[in-house]
Amino acid sequence: MSSASELPEPDVQILTSSGVRIPAHSSILAMVSPVLDNIMERPVEHGSSERVIPILGVPCDAVTAFIKYLYNSMCTEEQMEKYGIHLLVLSHVYLVPQLKQRCSRGVSQRLTVENVVDVLQLTGLCDVPDLYLKCLKQVTARFKAVEQTEGWKFMQEHDPWLELHIL
């Protein structure tokens, strides 16, 4: 992630959903994310000498891309293509505004008829108003095609308020 000769030994492990542990430096994580800073200020569990921070619910590689971003403020197009939505959620949850802006733009550029409803639902949860408006415009412009997607059918079943808002 950075030159190993410049950094001390990692003092925290990030635990992913697949059980992979990513070594990291608490000082870097705390500097970039106030949420991670708050987590690291909590006392370590009794009987444990190592600090482990679980980041669950997203693919392991998305967590790796997120941690790399925290170190170098860079996100590749390939990472955005594969994990943009996951990185958007992580940037929202861990309060990393620069990554959130980057993900909002990246996800916006990759909107399709198939994913627009899913992204629309996510924008409400992650407070991304510009992306929300772009999704609404795409739904409106391509409504007949969007209405046929699995995302639309799922939304009808599970989020009737959003459907009502769109209609």
Side-chain angles (χ1 to χ4, degrees):
M1 292 192 194
S2 186
S3 175
S5 63
E6 297 174 22
L7 295 172
E9 284 292 314
D11 59 345
V12 65
Q13 300 280 322
I14 306 299
L15 177 65
T16 69
S17 294
S18 62
V20 172
R21 289 175 178 243
I22 303 167
H25 298 87
S26 60
S27 59
I28 291 174
L29 302 181
M31 188 171 38
V32 181
S33 166
V35 174
L36 289 170
D37 184 32
N38 189 328
I39 290 170
M40 285 180 281
E41 287 180 2
R42 296 180 194 154
V44 179
E45 289 184 23
H46 182 68
S48 175
S49 61
E50 70 175 1
R51 183 172 298 279
V52 177
I53 300 172
I55 297 182
L56 310 174
V58 296
C60 177
D61 290 341
V63 177
T64 300
F66 177 67
I67 299 302
K68 284 182 179 180
Y69 181 88
L70 297 181
Y71 273 77
N72 63 25
S73 299
M74 292 174 44
C75 183
T76 67
E77 285 301 315
E78 180 183 355
Q79 291 169 329
M80 191 57 59
E81 180 73 34
K82 289 183 178 178
Y83 309 113
I85 291 173
H86 304 291
L87 291 170
L88 179 63
V89 171
L90 290 170
S91 67
H92 175 73
V93 169
Y94 293 99
L95 298 176
V96 183
Q98 298 85 359
L99 179 58
K100 189 172 178 179
Q101 288 176 339
R102 169 81 170 90
C103 291
S104 177
R105 285 190 311 271
V107 170
S108 172
Q109 293 167 356
R110 292 165 177 83
L111 283 178
T112 66
V113 167
E114 290 298 321
N115 73 9
V116 69
V117 173
D118 297 329
V119 174
L120 183 62
Q121 290 176 304
L122 187 63
T123 61
L125 298 172
C126 291
D127 188 31
V128 194
D130 54 332
L131 185 54
Y132 180 82
L133 288 174
K134 184 157 186 180
C135 289
L136 274 180
K137 286 178 184 177
Q138 183 159 342
V139 168
T140 303
R142 309 215 38 215
F143 184 73
K144 288 294 181 194
V146 171
E147 192 178 30
Q148 303 303 313
T149 65
E150 290 299 315
W152 182 266
K153 293 170 187 161
F154 183 86
M155 180 200 55
Q156 285 181 306
E157 292 277 322
H158 297 93
D159 196 350
W161 288 111
L162 181 58
E163 180 187 16
L164 184 62
H165 177 75
I166 291 169
L167 297 174

